[in-house]
Amino acid sequence: MTTHYDPMPMIVQGAALVSFVWTCIIVSVQGIGIYKILRNNSAPHAKPFSPTLKKDDVPHITVIRPVKGVEAGLYECLASTFHLAYPKSKLTIYLCIDSTRDPAYPVLQKVVSAFPDFDAKVLVEEQDPVLHGDGGHVDKLGPNPKIRNISRAYREAKGDIIWIADCNVWLGANSAGRMVDKLFGFLPDGAQTKPYKFVHQLPLVIDLETPKTATEEEQALLSGPIDISAPNSLLDYGGRLEEMFMATTHAKFYSAINTVGIAPCVVGKSNMFRKSHLERLTDPAQNPLLSPADAARGRGVDYFSSYICEDHLIGDLIFKSNIPGYRNHGLVHGEVAIQPMSGMTVTAYIARRVRWLRVRKWTVLTATLVEPGVESLIGCLHMAFAFTTLPWFRSFFGIPPTWKAFGAIWFSAVAIWMVVDRLLSAKLHKLQSVDVNENTPAFALGSTRTGGIKKKPFLTWFAAWLGREFLAFPIWTWAVLLGATVNWRGQNFRVRPDMSVTRLDEAEGAGLRPSTPLRGNSTSNCPLGSKGRVD
């Protein structure tokens, strides 16, 4: 007599085991991230040591701030660079913009003229001699608009330390010192540990919930009226979704992955590294990760001008390249890069998330493909499936293999996830680790200080949380499975599998500048790395 075995139960059990392992990974990663956030964002940290060194020993920083258009709190964000508690003689500040016709140009002029005792200037891309001067050529660099914007500032940097901070983030007074301390391995007591090759900050969005895109001071510098009508539809509250994402899912995984240090999980909001390192690492003669064919590229940031995800690629190359005596990447815990946001619609939020995912699709393909599993709704499905399928849970906990038990577990897990997110976002928005003074704008004071942001009522917060969670999978599907083009800084690009991009002519849809592939591509599993600006 022949016995026939049904293979389905074995397949189902195997799938449930995979779901259980995935559940353990997600819970562990989130636990690490939550622990690091609670530990490092509950009070101001010790004053940095590097600014107290002898004058000649203080590292010189070139701060590069790329600008495109007028964003919420632009003046305050740029002015925060001049309020840094760091020796003025050791700061060079370059505000970079592509054209004098950009509406933000008068704001840049205003902020530089307000601080005449600083080594600061506005650099305009259309005046770059390499691209537009005698002997220069517009195609000297690839199509990446951010690299073209900052190329001159990088070339003319003073000293070795490069700090690229997007124009739409506010920097705390002690952030420069703490970034340098981390980069050089200085401890608050003056002791020194192993230095890092690359350091960065946790980005945090504060939704101002007003459609204005400029402060009163900025409005006085701009031509034409600015719409100041109040939001009148749910579709006007995309900023709440972005704020929610950055203070919950992104913050947890970003903190955790950078704590474990298994991958170069980097967002291009506020990054610091050494120019000497990047110059050497982008030279094929000195870096075995590169191909001899890459010798035709530029050096430093110019090397990445044919790629749209330059922030990740710079961090990835530095992470993967061997520099003896240095640690890889260091997240400056507690020192957040605060981005005020105003007037983002839900449509704009979806478009930005689609762009982000399409850019990342080929830079971290595996991580992008599994990303839906780190979201609450699908992640908790894995948990419910495992708990109601694996016999261990029935034997030890009495969990029956029924749909009713499945639904109860899923609902309970999602509810717990939501409560944790509520507590975590409330903690981050208190901004307790941020040093405040008379120059601190209202959006950077936090929800517990007088004059700061208001804590959102639970129902308001819950509506944003539900919207963010339920939109996550449809956005992922549209971005990852149904397209490869992105619009960034007013230009259209097609992202190719080798991570290069082709800039598209809007009129004809033709590729203008194809590029060659980058060697040593990342296989990082940072599930929530970003490409930089949030427009």
Coordinates of all heavy atoms in Angstrom, one line a residue, residues 342-431:
S342 N 6.0 73.0 4.9 CA 4.8 73.8 4.9 C 4.1 73.6 3.5 O 4.8 73.6 2.5 CB 5.1 75.3 5.0 OG 4.0 76.1 4.9
G343 N 2.8 73.3 3.6 CA 2.0 73.3 2.3 C 2.2 72.1 1.5 O 1.8 72.2 0.3
M344 N 2.7 71.0 1.9 CA 2.8 69.8 1.1 C 1.4 69.1 1.0 O 0.8 68.9 2.0 CB 3.8 68.8 1.7 CG 3.8 67.5 1.0 SD 5.0 66.3 1.6 CE 6.4 66.7 0.6
T345 N 1.0 68.9 -0.2 CA -0.3 68.2 -0.4 C 0.0 66.7 -0.4 O 1.1 66.2 -0.4 CB -0.9 68.5 -1.8 OG1 0.0 68.1 -2.8 CG2 -1.1 70.0 -1.9
V346 N -1.1 65.9 -0.3 CA -1.0 64.5 -0.3 C -0.5 64.0 -1.6 O 0.3 63.1 -1.7 CB -2.4 63.8 0.0 CG1 -2.3 62.3 -0.1 CG2 -2.9 64.2 1.4
T347 N -0.9 64.7 -2.7 CA -0.4 64.3 -4.0 C 1.1 64.5 -4.1 O 1.9 63.7 -4.6 CB -1.0 65.2 -5.1 OG1 -2.5 64.9 -5.0 CG2 -0.5 64.8 -6.5
A348 N 1.6 65.6 -3.5 CA 3.1 65.9 -3.5 C 3.8 64.9 -2.6 O 4.9 64.4 -2.9 CB 3.3 67.3 -3.0
Y349 N 3.2 64.5 -1.5 CA 3.8 63.5 -0.6 C 3.9 62.1 -1.4 O 5.0 61.5 -1.3 CB 2.9 63.3 0.6 CG 3.3 62.0 1.4 CD1 4.4 62.0 2.2 CD2 2.5 60.9 1.3 CE1 4.7 60.8 2.9 CE2 2.8 59.7 2.0 CZ 3.9 59.7 2.8 OH 4.3 58.5 3.5
I350 N 2.9 61.7 -2.1 CA 2.9 60.5 -2.8 C 4.0 60.6 -3.9 O 4.8 59.6 -4.1 CB 1.6 60.2 -3.4 CG1 0.6 59.9 -2.3 CG2 1.7 59.0 -4.4 CD1 -0.9 59.7 -2.8
A351 N 4.0 61.7 -4.6 CA 5.0 61.9 -5.7 C 6.5 61.8 -5.1 O 7.4 61.2 -5.8 CB 4.8 63.2 -6.4
R352 N 6.7 62.4 -4.0 CA 8.0 62.4 -3.4 C 8.4 61.0 -2.9 O 9.5 60.5 -3.1 CB 8.0 63.3 -2.2 CG 9.5 63.6 -1.7 CD 9.5 64.1 -0.3 NE 9.0 63.0 0.6 CZ 9.7 62.0 1.0 NH1 10.9 61.8 0.5 NH2 9.2 61.1 1.8
R353 N 7.4 60.2 -2.4 CA 7.7 58.9 -2.0 C 8.0 58.0 -3.2 O 8.9 57.1 -3.1 CB 6.6 58.3 -1.1 CG 6.5 58.9 0.3 CD 7.6 58.4 1.1 NE 7.6 56.9 1.3 CZ 8.7 56.2 1.5 NH1 9.9 56.8 1.4 NH2 8.6 54.9 1.6
V354 N 7.3 58.2 -4.3 CA 7.5 57.4 -5.5 C 8.9 57.7 -6.0 O 9.6 56.8 -6.4 CB 6.4 57.8 -6.5 CG1 6.8 57.2 -7.9 CG2 5.1 57.2 -6.1
R355 N 9.3 59.0 -6.0 CA 10.6 59.3 -6.5 C 11.7 58.7 -5.6 O 12.7 58.1 -6.1 CB 10.8 60.8 -6.5 CG 12.1 61.3 -7.0 CD 12.3 62.8 -7.1 NE 12.3 63.4 -5.7 CZ 11.4 64.2 -5.2 NH1 10.3 64.5 -6.0 NH2 11.5 64.7 -4.0
W356 N 11.5 58.8 -4.3 CA 12.4 58.2 -3.4 C 12.6 56.7 -3.7 O 13.8 56.2 -3.8 CB 11.9 58.4 -2.0 CG 12.8 58.1 -0.9 CD1 14.0 57.3 -0.9 CD2 12.7 58.5 0.5 NE1 14.5 57.3 0.4 CE2 13.8 58.0 1.2 CE3 11.8 59.3 1.1 CZ2 13.9 58.2 2.6 CZ3 11.9 59.6 2.5 CH2 13.0 59.0 3.2
L357 N 11.5 56.0 -3.8 CA 11.6 54.5 -4.0 C 12.2 54.2 -5.3 O 13.0 53.2 -5.5 CB 10.2 53.9 -3.8 CG 9.7 53.8 -2.4 CD1 8.2 53.6 -2.4 CD2 10.4 52.7 -1.6
R358 N 11.8 54.9 -6.4 CA 12.4 54.6 -7.7 C 13.9 54.8 -7.8 O 14.6 54.1 -8.5 CB 11.6 55.4 -8.8 CG 10.2 54.8 -9.0 CD 9.5 55.6 -10.1 NE 8.2 55.0 -10.4 CZ 7.3 55.5 -11.2 NH1 7.5 56.6 -11.8 NH2 6.1 54.8 -11.3
V359 N 14.3 55.8 -7.1 CA 15.8 56.1 -7.0 C 16.5 55.0 -6.3 O 17.5 54.5 -6.7 CB 16.0 57.5 -6.4 CG1 17.5 57.6 -6.0 CG2 15.6 58.6 -7.3
R360 N 15.9 54.5 -5.2 CA 16.5 53.5 -4.4 C 16.4 52.1 -5.0 O 17.1 51.2 -4.5 CB 15.9 53.5 -3.0 CG 16.1 54.7 -2.1 CD 15.5 54.6 -0.8 NE 15.8 53.3 -0.1 CZ 15.0 52.4 0.1 NH1 13.7 52.5 -0.2 NH2 15.4 51.3 0.7
K361 N 15.4 51.9 -5.9 CA 15.1 50.6 -6.4 C 16.4 49.8 -6.9 O 16.6 48.6 -6.6 CB 14.1 50.7 -7.5 CG 13.7 49.3 -8.1 CD 12.5 49.4 -8.9 CE 12.6 50.3 -10.1 NZ 11.4 50.3 -10.9
W362 N 17.3 50.6 -7.5 CA 18.5 49.9 -8.0 C 19.7 50.1 -7.2 O 20.7 49.4 -7.3 CB 18.8 50.4 -9.5 CG 17.7 50.1 -10.4 CD1 16.9 51.0 -11.1 CD2 17.1 48.8 -10.8 NE1 16.0 50.4 -11.9 CE2 16.1 49.1 -11.7 CE3 17.4 47.5 -10.4 CZ2 15.3 48.0 -12.2 CZ3 16.7 46.5 -10.9 CH2 15.6 46.7 -11.8
T363 N 19.6 51.0 -6.2 CA 20.8 51.2 -5.3 C 20.8 50.2 -4.2 O 21.8 49.7 -3.8 CB 20.8 52.7 -4.7 OG1 19.6 52.9 -4.0 CG2 20.9 53.7 -5.8
V364 N 19.6 49.9 -3.7 CA 19.5 48.9 -2.6 C 18.3 48.0 -3.0 O 17.2 48.0 -2.3 CB 19.3 49.5 -1.2 CG1 20.7 50.0 -0.7 CG2 18.4 50.7 -1.2
L365 N 18.4 47.2 -4.0 CA 17.3 46.5 -4.6 C 16.7 45.5 -3.6 O 15.4 45.5 -3.4 CB 17.7 45.7 -5.8 CG 16.7 44.8 -6.5 CD1 15.5 45.7 -7.0 CD2 17.3 44.1 -7.7
T366 N 17.5 44.7 -2.9 CA 16.9 43.7 -2.0 C 16.1 44.4 -0.9 O 15.0 44.0 -0.5 CB 18.0 42.9 -1.4 OG1 18.7 42.2 -2.4 CG2 17.5 41.8 -0.4
A367 N 16.7 45.5 -0.3 CA 16.0 46.2 0.7 C 14.7 46.8 0.3 O 13.7 46.8 1.0 CB 16.9 47.3 1.3
T368 N 14.7 47.3 -1.0 CA 13.5 47.9 -1.5 C 12.4 46.9 -1.7 O 11.2 47.1 -1.4 CB 13.8 48.6 -2.8 OG1 14.9 49.6 -2.6 CG2 12.6 49.4 -3.4
L369 N 12.8 45.7 -2.2 CA 11.8 44.6 -2.4 C 11.2 44.1 -1.2 O 10.0 43.8 -1.2 CB 12.5 43.5 -3.2 CG 12.9 43.8 -4.6 CD1 13.6 42.6 -5.2 CD2 11.8 44.2 -5.5
V370 N 11.9 44.1 -0.1 CA 11.3 43.6 1.2 C 10.7 44.7 2.0 O 10.2 44.5 3.1 CB 12.4 42.8 2.0 CG1 12.9 41.7 1.3 CG2 13.5 43.8 2.5
E371 N 10.8 46.0 1.6 CA 10.3 47.1 2.4 C 8.9 47.0 2.8 O 8.6 47.4 4.0 CB 10.6 48.4 1.6 CG 10.2 49.6 2.4 CD 10.7 50.9 1.9 OE1 12.0 51.0 1.6 OE2 10.0 51.9 1.7
P372 N 7.9 46.5 2.0 CA 6.6 46.4 2.6 C 6.5 45.6 3.8 O 5.6 45.8 4.7 CB 5.8 45.7 1.4 CG 6.6 46.1 0.2 CD 8.0 46.1 0.6
G373 N 7.4 44.6 4.0 CA 7.3 43.8 5.2 C 7.8 44.5 6.5 O 7.5 44.0 7.6
V374 N 8.3 45.7 6.4 CA 8.7 46.4 7.6 C 7.6 47.4 8.0 O 7.7 48.0 9.1 CB 10.0 47.2 7.4 CG1 11.1 46.3 6.9 CG2 9.9 48.4 6.5
E375 N 6.6 47.5 7.2 CA 5.4 48.4 7.6 C 4.5 47.6 8.5 O 4.4 46.4 8.5 CB 4.7 48.8 6.3 CG 5.6 49.5 5.3 CD 6.0 50.9 5.7 OE1 5.6 51.4 6.8 OE2 6.7 51.6 5.0
S376 N 3.7 48.3 9.3 CA 2.9 47.7 10.3 C 1.9 46.8 9.8 O 1.7 45.6 10.3 CB 2.2 48.8 11.1 OG 1.3 49.6 10.3
L377 N 1.1 47.1 8.8 CA 0.0 46.3 8.3 C 0.5 45.0 7.8 O -0.1 43.9 8.1 CB -0.8 47.1 7.3 CG -1.4 48.4 7.7 CD1 -2.2 49.0 6.6 CD2 -2.2 48.3 9.0
I378 N 1.5 45.0 6.9 CA 2.0 43.7 6.4 C 2.9 43.0 7.4 O 2.9 41.8 7.5 CB 2.7 44.0 5.1 CG1 1.7 44.5 4.0 CG2 3.4 42.7 4.5 CD1 2.3 44.9 2.7
G379 N 3.7 43.7 8.1 CA 4.6 43.1 9.1 C 3.8 42.3 10.1 O 4.2 41.2 10.5
C380 N 2.7 42.9 10.5 CA 1.8 42.2 11.5 C 1.1 41.0 10.9 O 0.7 40.1 11.6 CB 0.8 43.2 12.2 SG 1.6 44.4 13.2
L381 N 0.9 41.0 9.6 CA 0.3 39.9 8.9 C 1.3 38.7 9.0 O 0.9 37.5 9.2 CB 0.1 40.2 7.4 CG -1.2 41.0 7.1 CD1 -1.2 41.3 5.6 CD2 -2.5 40.3 7.6
H382 N 2.6 39.0 8.9 CA 3.6 37.9 9.0 C 3.5 37.3 10.4 O 3.5 36.1 10.6 CB 5.0 38.5 8.8 CG 5.3 38.6 7.4 ND1 5.7 37.6 6.6 CD2 5.4 39.7 6.6 CE1 6.0 38.0 5.3 NE2 5.8 39.3 5.3
M383 N 3.4 38.2 11.4 CA 3.3 37.7 12.8 C 2.0 36.8 13.0 O 2.1 35.7 13.6 CB 3.3 38.9 13.8 CG 3.1 38.5 15.2 SD 3.0 39.9 16.4 CE 4.7 40.5 16.3
A384 N 0.9 37.3 12.6 CA -0.4 36.6 12.8 C -0.3 35.2 12.0 O -0.8 34.2 12.6 CB -1.5 37.4 12.3
F385 N 0.2 35.2 10.8 CA 0.4 34.0 10.1 C 1.2 33.0 10.8 O 0.9 31.8 10.9 CB 0.9 34.3 8.7 CG 1.2 33.1 7.8 CD1 0.2 32.2 7.6 CD2 2.4 32.8 7.3 CE1 0.4 31.0 6.8 CE2 2.7 31.7 6.5 CZ 1.7 30.8 6.3
A386 N 2.4 33.4 11.3 CA 3.3 32.5 12.0 C 2.7 32.0 13.3 O 2.7 30.8 13.6 CB 4.6 33.3 12.3
F387 N 2.1 32.9 14.1 CA 1.5 32.5 15.4 C 0.3 31.5 15.2 O 0.1 30.7 16.1 CB 1.1 33.7 16.1 CG 2.2 34.5 16.8 CD1 3.5 34.3 16.4 CD2 2.0 35.4 17.7 CE1 4.6 35.0 16.9 CE2 3.0 36.2 18.3 CZ 4.3 35.9 17.9
T388 N -0.4 31.6 14.1 CA -1.6 30.7 14.0 C -1.3 29.5 13.1 O -2.2 28.7 12.9 CB -2.8 31.5 13.4 OG1 -2.4 32.1 12.1 CG2 -3.2 32.6 14.4
T389 N -0.1 29.4 12.6 CA 0.3 28.2 11.7 C 1.3 27.3 12.4 O 1.1 26.1 12.3 CB 0.8 28.8 10.4 OG1 -0.2 29.7 9.8 CG2 1.1 27.6 9.4
L390 N 2.3 27.8 13.0 CA 3.3 27.0 13.6 C 2.8 26.2 14.8 O 2.2 26.8 15.7 CB 4.5 27.8 14.0 CG 5.3 28.5 12.8 CD1 6.4 29.4 13.3 CD2 5.9 27.4 11.9
P391 N 3.0 24.9 14.8 CA 2.5 24.1 15.9 C 3.0 24.5 17.3 O 2.4 24.2 18.3 CB 2.8 22.7 15.6 CG 4.0 22.8 14.6 CD 3.7 24.1 13.9
W392 N 4.2 25.1 17.4 CA 4.8 25.5 18.7 C 3.8 26.4 19.4 O 3.7 26.3 20.6 CB 6.1 26.3 18.4 CG 7.0 25.6 17.5 CD1 7.2 24.3 17.3 CD2 8.0 26.2 16.7 NE1 8.1 24.0 16.4 CE2 8.7 25.2 16.0 CE3 8.4 27.6 16.5 CZ2 9.7 25.5 15.0 CZ3 9.4 27.8 15.5 CH2 10.0 26.8 14.8
F393 N 3.2 27.4 18.7 CA 2.4 28.4 19.4 C 1.0 27.7 19.9 O 0.5 28.1 20.9 CB 2.1 29.5 18.5 CG 3.3 30.4 18.2 CD1 4.0 30.2 17.0 CD2 3.8 31.3 19.1 CE1 5.2 30.9 16.7 CE2 4.9 32.0 18.8 CZ 5.6 31.8 17.6
R394 N 0.6 26.7 19.1 CA -0.6 26.0 19.6 C -0.3 25.1 20.8 O -1.1 25.0 21.7 CB -1.1 25.1 18.4 CG -2.4 24.4 18.7 CD -3.1 23.9 17.5 NE -2.3 22.9 16.8 CZ -1.7 23.1 15.6 NH1 -1.8 24.3 15.0 NH2 -1.0 22.2 15.0
S395 N 0.9 24.5 20.8 CA 1.3 23.6 21.9 C 1.6 24.4 23.2 O 1.2 24.0 24.3 CB 2.5 22.8 21.5 OG 2.2 22.0 20.4
F396 N 2.3 25.5 23.1 CA 2.8 26.2 24.3 C 1.9 27.4 24.7 O 1.8 27.7 25.9 CB 4.2 26.8 24.0 CG 5.3 25.7 24.0 CD1 5.7 25.2 22.7 CD2 5.8 25.2 25.1 CE1 6.7 24.2 22.7 CE2 6.8 24.2 25.1 CZ 7.2 23.7 23.8
F397 N 1.2 28.0 23.7 CA 0.3 29.1 24.1 C -1.1 28.9 23.8 O -2.0 29.8 24.1 CB 0.8 30.4 23.3 CG 2.3 30.7 23.6 CD1 3.3 30.4 22.7 CD2 2.6 31.3 24.8 CE1 4.6 30.7 22.9 CE2 4.0 31.6 25.0 CZ 4.9 31.3 24.1
G398 N -1.5 27.8 23.2 CA -2.9 27.5 23.0 C -3.5 28.3 21.9 O -4.7 28.6 21.9
I399 N -2.7 28.8 21.0 CA -3.2 29.7 19.9 C -3.8 28.8 18.8 O -3.1 28.0 18.2 CB -2.1 30.6 19.3 CG1 -1.6 31.5 20.4 CG2 -2.7 31.4 18.1 CD1 -0.4 32.4 19.9
P400 N -5.1 28.8 18.5 CA -5.7 27.9 17.6 C -5.4 28.4 16.1 O -5.3 29.6 15.9 CB -7.2 28.0 17.9 CG -7.4 29.4 18.4 CD -6.1 29.7 19.2
P401 N -5.4 27.5 15.2 CA -5.2 27.9 13.8 C -6.4 28.3 13.1 O -6.9 27.7 12.1 CB -4.6 26.6 13.2 CG -5.2 25.5 14.0 CD -5.4 26.0 15.4
T402 N -7.0 29.4 13.6 CA -8.3 29.9 13.0 C -8.2 31.3 12.5 O -7.3 32.0 12.9 CB -9.4 29.8 14.1 OG1 -9.1 30.7 15.2 CG2 -9.5 28.4 14.7
W403 N -9.1 31.7 11.6 CA -9.1 33.0 11.1 C -9.5 34.0 12.2 O -9.0 35.2 12.2 CB -10.1 33.2 10.0 CG -9.7 32.6 8.7 CD1 -10.1 31.4 8.1 CD2 -8.6 33.0 7.9 NE1 -9.4 31.2 7.0 CE2 -8.5 32.1 6.8 CE3 -7.7 34.1 8.0 CZ2 -7.5 32.3 5.8 CZ3 -6.8 34.3 7.0 CH2 -6.7 33.4 5.9
K404 N -10.3 33.6 13.2 CA -10.6 34.5 14.3 C -9.3 34.8 15.1 O -9.1 36.0 15.5 CB -11.6 33.9 15.2 CG -12.1 34.7 16.4 CD -13.2 34.1 17.2 CE -13.6 34.9 18.3 NZ -14.7 34.3 19.1
A405 N -8.5 33.8 15.4 CA -7.3 34.1 16.1 C -6.3 34.9 15.3 O -5.6 35.8 15.8 CB -6.6 32.7 16.5
F406 N -6.3 34.6 14.0 CA -5.4 35.4 13.1 C -5.8 36.8 13.1 O -4.9 37.7 13.3 CB -5.6 34.8 11.6 CG -4.8 35.5 10.6 CD1 -3.6 34.9 10.2 CD2 -5.1 36.7 10.1 CE1 -2.8 35.5 9.2 CE2 -4.3 37.3 9.1 CZ -3.2 36.7 8.7
G407 N -7.1 37.2 13.0 CA -7.5 38.6 13.0 C -7.2 39.2 14.4 O -6.8 40.4 14.4
A408 N -7.5 38.5 15.5 CA -7.2 39.1 16.8 C -5.7 39.4 17.0 O -5.4 40.5 17.5 CB -7.7 38.1 17.9
I409 N -4.9 38.5 16.5 CA -3.4 38.7 16.7 C -3.0 39.9 15.8 O -2.2 40.8 16.3 CB -2.6 37.5 16.3 CG1 -2.9 36.4 17.4 CG2 -1.1 37.8 16.2 CD1 -2.3 35.0 17.0
W410 N -3.5 39.9 14.6 CA -3.1 41.0 13.7 C -3.6 42.4 14.2 O -2.8 43.3 14.3 CB -3.7 40.8 12.3 CG -3.4 41.9 11.3 CD1 -2.3 42.0 10.6 CD2 -4.2 43.0 11.0 NE1 -2.4 43.2 9.8 CE2 -3.5 43.8 10.1 CE3 -5.5 43.5 11.5 CZ2 -4.1 45.0 9.6 CZ3 -6.0 44.7 11.0 CH2 -5.3 45.4 10.0
F411 N -4.8 42.4 14.7 CA -5.3 43.7 15.2 C -4.6 44.1 16.4 O -4.2 45.3 16.6 CB -6.8 43.6 15.5 CG -7.5 44.8 16.0 CD1 -7.9 45.8 15.1 CD2 -7.6 45.1 17.4 CE1 -8.5 47.0 15.6 CE2 -8.2 46.3 17.8 CZ -8.6 47.2 16.9
S412 N -4.3 43.2 17.3 CA -3.6 43.5 18.6 C -2.2 44.0 18.3 O -1.7 45.0 18.9 CB -3.5 42.3 19.5 OG -4.8 41.9 19.9
A413 N -1.5 43.3 17.3 CA -0.1 43.7 17.0 C -0.1 45.1 16.3 O 0.8 45.9 16.7 CB 0.5 42.7 16.0
V414 N -1.0 45.4 15.5 CA -1.1 46.7 14.8 C -1.4 47.8 15.9 O -0.8 48.9 15.8 CB -2.2 46.8 13.7 CG1 -2.4 48.2 13.2 CG2 -1.8 45.9 12.6
A415 N -2.3 47.5 16.8 CA -2.6 48.5 17.9 C -1.3 48.8 18.7 O -1.1 49.9 19.1 CB -3.7 47.9 18.7
I416 N -0.6 47.7 19.1 CA 0.6 47.9 19.9 C 1.6 48.7 19.1 O 2.3 49.7 19.6 CB 1.2 46.6 20.3 CG1 0.3 45.9 21.3 CG2 2.6 46.7 20.9 CD1 0.7 44.4 21.6
W417 N 1.8 48.4 17.8 CA 2.7 49.1 16.9 C 2.3 50.6 16.9 O 3.2 51.5 17.0 CB 2.6 48.6 15.5 CG 3.6 49.0 14.5 CD1 4.0 50.2 14.2 CD2 4.4 48.1 13.7 NE1 5.0 50.2 13.2 CE2 5.3 48.9 12.9 CE3 4.5 46.7 13.6 CZ2 6.1 48.4 12.0 CZ3 5.4 46.2 12.7 CH2 6.2 47.0 11.9
M418 N 1.0 50.9 16.8 CA 0.5 52.3 16.7 C 0.8 53.0 18.0 O 1.3 54.2 18.0 CB -1.0 52.3 16.5 CG -1.6 53.7 16.4 SD -2.2 54.3 18.0 CE -3.5 53.1 18.3
V419 N 0.6 52.4 19.2 CA 0.9 53.0 20.5 C 2.4 53.3 20.6 O 2.8 54.4 21.1 CB 0.4 52.1 21.6 CG1 0.9 52.6 23.0 CG2 -1.1 52.0 21.7
V420 N 3.2 52.4 20.2 CA 4.7 52.6 20.2 C 5.0 53.8 19.4 O 5.8 54.7 19.7 CB 5.4 51.4 19.8 CG1 6.9 51.7 19.6 CG2 5.3 50.3 20.8
D421 N 4.4 53.9 18.2 CA 4.7 55.0 17.3 C 4.3 56.3 17.9 O 4.9 57.4 17.7 CB 4.0 54.8 15.9 CG 4.8 53.9 15.0 OD1 6.0 53.5 15.4 OD2 4.3 53.5 13.9
R422 N 3.1 56.3 18.5 CA 2.6 57.5 19.2 C 3.6 58.0 20.2 O 3.9 59.2 20.3 CB 1.3 57.3 19.8 CG 0.7 58.4 20.7 CD 0.4 59.6 19.9 NE -0.4 60.6 20.8 CZ -0.7 61.8 20.4 NH1 -0.3 62.3 19.2 NH2 -1.4 62.6 21.2
L423 N 4.1 57.1 21.1 CA 5.0 57.5 22.1 C 6.3 58.0 21.5 O 6.9 58.9 22.0 CB 5.2 56.3 23.1 CG 4.0 55.9 23.8 CD1 4.3 54.6 24.7 CD2 3.5 57.0 24.8
L424 N 6.8 57.3 20.5 CA 8.1 57.6 19.9 C 8.1 58.9 19.2 O 9.0 59.8 19.4 CB 8.5 56.5 18.9 CG 9.9 56.7 18.3 CD1 11.0 56.4 19.3 CD2 10.1 55.7 17.1
S425 N 7.0 59.2 18.4 CA 7.0 60.5 17.7 C 6.8 61.6 18.7 O 7.4 62.7 18.5 CB 5.8 60.5 16.7 OG 4.5 60.3 17.4
A426 N 6.1 61.4 19.8 CA 5.9 62.4 20.8 C 7.3 62.7 21.4 O 7.6 63.9 21.7 CB 4.9 62.0 21.8
K427 N 8.0 61.7 21.7 CA 9.4 61.9 22.3 C 10.3 62.7 21.3 O 10.9 63.6 21.7 CB 10.0 60.5 22.6 CG 11.5 60.5 22.8 CD 11.9 61.4 24.0 CE 11.5 60.8 25.3 NZ 12.0 61.5 26.5
L428 N 10.3 62.3 20.1 CA 11.2 63.0 19.1 C 10.8 64.5 18.9 O 11.6 65.4 18.8 CB 11.2 62.3 17.8 CG 12.0 61.0 17.7 CD1 11.8 60.3 16.4 CD2 13.5 61.4 17.8
H429 N 9.4 64.7 18.9 CA 9.0 66.1 18.7 C 9.1 67.0 19.9 O 8.9 68.2 19.8 CB 7.5 66.1 18.2 CG 7.4 65.6 16.8 ND1 6.3 65.1 16.3 CD2 8.3 65.6 15.8 CE1 6.5 64.8 15.0 NE2 7.7 65.1 14.7
K430 N 9.5 66.4 21.1 CA 9.8 67.3 22.2 C 11.1 68.0 22.0 O 11.4 69.0 22.6 CB 9.9 66.4 23.5 CG 8.5 65.9 24.0 CD 8.7 65.1 25.2 CE 7.3 64.6 25.7 NZ 7.4 63.7 26.9
L431 N 12.0 67.3 21.1 CA 13.3 67.9 20.8 C 14.1 68.2 22.1 O 14.8 69.3 22.2 CB 13.1 69.2 20.0 CG 12.4 69.0 18.6 CD1 12.3 70.3 17.9 CD2 13.2 68.0 17.7

